[in-house]
Amino acid sequence: MRPDHRDPIRVLLIDCRPLVLRGLHDLINARKPQMEVSGQASTYTNALDLADQLRPNVIFFSFFPDALNPLEVVAGLTRSAEMKVLVLKGLYEAVPVAQAIEAGARGVVLAEDPTESIIRAIIKVHHRDSGSDRAWAGGLSGYASIGHVPTQCNLEQAKQARLTLREKELIRAIVGDPSAKYISIAGRLGISEHTVHNHLSNIYQKLDLINRIDLLMYALKHGLTHNEEPPESTWVELD
């Protein structure tokens, strides 16, 4: 029997911090019936057991000290195509993002992201085509080993053609300083933080991305870090 398309997205939370678990739990369950928390685990052993029992659609996965290797746990969780892992990462946390993607994770969510971005990430990764994910992960694996991935396809070129010069300039600013706060980037480009967020929202939509880390990896993979055209003279805000 095929599942009803109105069934909620079932989410499993894996984190050793009670406050993080509580925050994600309340955020996701506030979106019922669209999505709901089906379980939560504070150890990797418990996480594997719960995933096997509950068969969630999306798994929020945090890296933390544990007896099990987190990358091996990600690989174990993603053996089933129906379970998609989203890595939860703090902006300044040292997390092996590329290796996590290679192990099977479908994306990365920043803990500092707005709540609406986190909700969109859950929906997007739940519906994202698994074939595209495998191709993206393969490219990222290459980037991790050689520093870049010389891979282009007509679909991606079409997406990139929709970017404005200003959007490309913003991408280069983010890649140039991945840990910079948005207000700092705005000051450097001579625009408001609100305008930065508006441009980023347009970029995410055009490139079919989730968040800032997704954008960073995409830009590195597809060579959006270089000036391909002369920049416009200035950034101008229209109120």
Side-chain angles (χ1 to χ4, degrees):
M1 179 177 179
R2 298 179 60 185
D4 193 302
H5 69 280
R6 293 169 295 181
D7 288 346
I9 302 171
R10 302 184 312 281
V11 184
L12 174 64
L13 308 177
I14 305 173
D15 200 294
C16 66
R17 298 162 293 187
L19 186 60
V20 172
L21 289 172
R22 177 61 182 269
L24 287 172
H25 179 278
D26 291 350
L27 172 66
I28 293 166
N29 276 352
R31 297 308 179 106
K32 287 183 177 180
Q34 185 179 25
M35 60 184 65
E36 66 182 13
V37 174
S38 60
Q40 52 189 51
S42 57
T43 69
Y44 292 144
T45 299
N46 190 23
L48 290 169
D49 289 341
L50 280 179
D52 188 52
Q53 296 170 20
L54 303 173
R55 314 304 296 177
N57 304 119
V58 177
I59 300 173
F60 262 94
F61 187 94
S62 294
F63 281 71
F64 52 82
D66 189 89
L68 299 182
N69 182 311
L71 292 174
E72 292 178 0
V73 175
V74 171
L77 291 170
T78 56
R79 286 196 182 99
S80 170
E82 69 187 65
M83 297 192 293
K84 300 180 180 180
V85 168
L86 272 173
V87 174
L88 180 66
K89 175 191 179 304
L91 187 57
Y92 302 105
E93 288 180 344
V95 169
V97 172
Q99 292 91 329
I101 297 296
E102 288 182 66
R106 300 296 181 89
V108 182
V109 173
L110 287 176
E112 293 83 0
D113 278 345
T115 56
E116 285 303 315
S117 295
I118 293 174
I119 294 298
R120 285 198 302 272
I122 294 171
I123 297 170
K124 182 179 275 297
V125 79
H126 175 55
H127 294 292
R128 180 180 281 176
D129 175 68
S130 60
S132 299
D133 282 335
R134 285 193 294 273
W136 189 83
L140 184 56
S141 171
Y143 159 72
S145 62
I146 65 175
H148 72 284
V149 177
T151 302
Q152 294 289 344
C153 66
N154 292 335
L155 176 60
E156 296 309 323
Q157 289 174 339
K159 288 180 183 178
Q160 294 162 28
R162 300 172 60 200
L163 295 171
T164 67
L165 290 178
R166 292 175 178 176
E167 288 166 351
K168 290 180 180 179
E169 188 177 355
L170 177 57
I171 291 172
R172 289 192 293 270
I174 290 175
V175 173
D177 188 359
S179 63
K181 294 183 181 298
Y182 290 127
I183 191 169
S184 174
I185 294 173
R188 194 157 66 245
L189 296 176
I191 58 177
S192 72
E193 187 176 2
H194 176 72
T195 300
V196 169
H197 284 287
N198 283 343
H199 281 296
L200 279 175
S201 178
N202 290 334
I203 291 169
Y204 296 156
Q205 182 178 21
K206 290 177 180 179
L207 298 181
D208 192 27
L209 302 176
I210 294 175
N211 56 23
R212 183 167 168 173
I213 288 186
D214 219 6
L215 173 60
L216 175 62
M217 294 301 177
Y218 184 96
L220 292 169
K221 174 183 174 183
H222 292 284
L224 298 184
T225 59
H226 311 294
N227 282 306
E228 299 174 352
E229 305 171 51
E232 294 179 329
S233 56
T234 57
W235 283 64
V236 179
E237 285 190 72
L238 299 177
D239 296 326

